[in-house]
């Protein structure tokens, strides 16, 4: 048996969450076209008779600007510490020098596979050029060109990981897919809709807290608070005549029902908590 922790790092928007979902075959991590969508370390566990891989998706590596950012970078740091194998993900269209600088600064002590992602967007010549750039780097044990979105070359990636994985017993039971609670994923699915439906600062000033999760006879009753920093943001989230919050609710409900495999009743509230992103007590309460 082989077992170990395989942690995914990269700049915001490289496709880390898309890759985790593709590898696990289940949507664990929310995805958006906007940067800094992922705020936590999210584990996805893949178990067979021969191996157990515990993947971790992490927030994109950034320079912290407020306390929430600091918490996000702590999630990155903790993932660096327990990794057996590291996946360094690059958006093929990103600035290569910048990615290289970030990867070098991690001072990795474990083998790293560089994954050149989004190859579906470019031609073969570009793939070869970027592959040559990273193959020459000292931290690059192996390089694989993939498309997380189109799920291409993931089998090759799995084989490469298994080769580097240490011998050992499984850390989690066979049927465990993640270490996080259903409440967490429900809150994340609501947060994803906020990223989809609102522009500019709204997604970055918002978070979601599930305060009620109760099994009733034929459905689960879920109550959640959308937390924002200002009254104006509350009005935007609610929308004219409640139009927007209704839209968040409808779209989130579909995803949550798919995830839980059960009908739900979803009730959303909006709460204003000035500067919650800077406040230790609020950050803790909201799971950061
Ligand atoms: N074309 C293309 N888009 C991708 C690929 N992987 C991820 N994306 C898109 O890139 C954006 C950011 O993805 P996400 O997984 O949230 O990135 P993260 O910030 O690194 O977790 C989303 O719009 C994804 O659909 C890929 O292989 N090809
Ligand atoms: Mg992400």
């Amino acid at each position: 048996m082989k077992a170990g922790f395989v942690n995914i790092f990269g700049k915001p928007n490289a496709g880390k969450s898309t890759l985790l979902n593709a590898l696990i075959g289940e949507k664990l991590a929310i995805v958006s076209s906007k940067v800094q969508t992922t705020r936590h370390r999210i584990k996805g566990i893949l178990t067979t008779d021969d191996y157990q891989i515990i993947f971790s998706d992490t927030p994109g590596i950034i320079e912290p600007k407020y306390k929430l950012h600091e918490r996000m970078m702590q999630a990155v740091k903790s993932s660096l510490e327990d990794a057996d194998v590291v996946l360094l993900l690059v958006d093929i269209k990103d600035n290569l020098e910048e990615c290289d600088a970030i990867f070098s600064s991690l001072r990795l002590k474990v083998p790293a596979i560089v994954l050149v992602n989004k190859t579906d967007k470019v031609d073969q010549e570009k793939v070869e050029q970027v592959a040559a750039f990273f193959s020459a780097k000292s931290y690059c044990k192996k390089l694989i060109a993939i498309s997380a979105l189109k799920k291409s070359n993931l089998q090759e990636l799995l084989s490469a990981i298994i080769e580097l994985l240490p011998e050992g017993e499984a850390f989690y039971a066979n049927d465990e897919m993640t270490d996080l609670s259903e409440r967490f994923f429900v809150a994340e699915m609501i947060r994803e809709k906020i990223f989809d439906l609102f522009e500019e600062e709204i997604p970055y000033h918002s978070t979601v807290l599930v305060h009620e999760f109760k099994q009733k006879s034929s459905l689960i009753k879920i109550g959640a608070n959308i937390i924002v920093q200002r009254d104006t943001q509350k009005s935007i989230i609610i929308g004219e005549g409640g139009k927007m919050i209704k839209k968040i609710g409808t779209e989130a409900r579909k995803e949550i029902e798919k995830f839980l495999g059960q009908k739900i009743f979803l009730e959303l509230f909006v709460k204003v908590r000035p500067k919650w992103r800077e406040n230790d007590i609020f950050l803790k309460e909201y799971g950061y």
Side-chain angles (χ1 to χ4, degrees):
M1 183 87 186
K2 287 185 151 193
F5 290 82
V6 176
N7 303 344
I8 310 170
F9 299 96
K11 280 174 60 178
N13 249 0
K16 298 177 292 297
S17 298
T18 307
L19 177 63
L20 177 84
N21 294 339
L23 288 164
I24 299 298
E26 183 82 33
K27 188 169 162 188
L28 285 180
I30 62 171
V31 169
S32 90
S33 56
K34 299 185 176 75
V35 297
Q36 294 176 36
T37 312
T38 309
R39 291 178 183 162
H40 296 83
R41 173 180 186 170
I42 298 171
K43 286 184 196 156
I45 305 162
L46 200 62
T47 309
T48 69
D49 290 342
D50 305 317
Y51 62 82
Q52 179 171 78
I53 307 174
I54 303 116
F55 290 102
S56 290
D57 182 17
T58 62
I61 299 168
I62 49 169
E63 204 60 59
K65 295 210 171 65
Y66 39 88
K67 248 187 198 157
L68 172 64
H69 277 163
E70 289 170 20
R71 294 290 190 284
M72 286 158 65
M73 290 311 102
Q74 276 165 17
V76 173
K77 244 184 243 152
S78 83
S79 293
L80 272 174
E81 280 160 13
D82 67 19
D84 294 301
V85 177
V86 157
L87 305 181
L88 300 174
L89 198 61
V90 188
D91 179 335
I92 192 154
K93 290 197 159 171
D94 204 347
N95 180 322
L96 305 185
E97 300 289 346
E98 238 175 71
C99 294
D100 172 49
I102 289 175
F103 296 158
S104 302
S105 74
L106 297 177
R107 301 183 200 292
L108 295 170
K109 294 181 193 78
V110 294
I113 304 174
V114 175
L115 297 176
V116 178
N117 189 31
K118 309 197 188 182
T119 53
D120 56 288
K121 282 167 74 174
V122 298
D123 56 23
Q124 188 55 30
E125 198 182 333
K126 173 80 177 165
V127 175
E128 278 162 24
Q129 179 210 329
V130 176
F133 176 86
F134 284 105
S135 297
K137 305 296 174 191
S138 57
Y139 51 78
C140 179
K141 175 98 184 170
K142 191 173 172 76
L143 183 134
I144 305 174
I146 63 164
S147 166
L149 190 67
K150 307 270 188 242
K151 301 188 166 60
S152 72
N153 267 357
L154 298 190
Q155 213 45 56
E156 191 187 341
L157 169 58
L158 271 183
S159 310
I161 290 170
I162 293 161
E163 206 161 298
L164 295 171
L165 216 57
E167 304 275 339
E169 290 305 309
F171 293 85
Y172 294 88
N174 295 352
D175 57 351
E176 271 179 281
M177 200 175 54
T178 182
D179 62 329
L180 293 163
S181 65
E182 286 181 329
R183 276 177 185 243
F184 170 81
F185 290 106
V186 166
E188 287 288 279
M189 284 173 211
I190 298 165
R191 209 163 61 74
E192 182 183 57
K193 299 309 160 205
I194 298 171
F195 267 80
D196 284 348
L197 294 170
F198 299 93
E199 296 305 321
E200 301 184 18
E201 91 282 4
I202 296 281
Y204 301 102
H205 288 235
S206 309
T207 194
V208 176
L209 187 68
V210 171
H211 60 80
E212 187 181 13
F213 192 102
K214 259 200 215 112
Q215 181 77 52
K216 304 257 171 171
S217 51
S218 62
L219 50 71
I220 302 175
K221 175 157 192 264
I222 297 173
N225 290 333
I226 298 172
I227 319 276
V228 292
Q229 302 211 103
R230 294 199 261 279
D231 284 319
T232 48
Q233 295 165 343
K234 177 172 172 173
S235 319
I236 295 170
I237 294 266
I238 292 171
E240 247 185 86
K243 192 176 94 197
M244 290 313 287
I245 194 154
K246 204 169 157 202
K247 203 164 176 177
I248 301 171
T250 310
E251 294 191 12
R253 181 169 48 77
K254 281 187 222 151
E255 291 254 345
I256 297 166
E257 288 184 341
K258 208 160 56 181
F259 182 76
L260 296 174
Q262 214 179 338
K263 290 268 171 232
I264 65 159
F265 174 74
L266 180 61
E267 204 173 16
L268 295 176
F269 306 88
V270 188
K271 295 254 146 76
V272 179
R273 293 285 179 270
K275 301 207 171 136
W276 69 263
R277 297 185 310 182
E278 296 285 0
N279 183 311
D280 284 321
I281 295 165
F282 286 142
L283 284 168
K284 188 155 184 236
E285 184 184 346
Y286 305 151
Y288 296 106

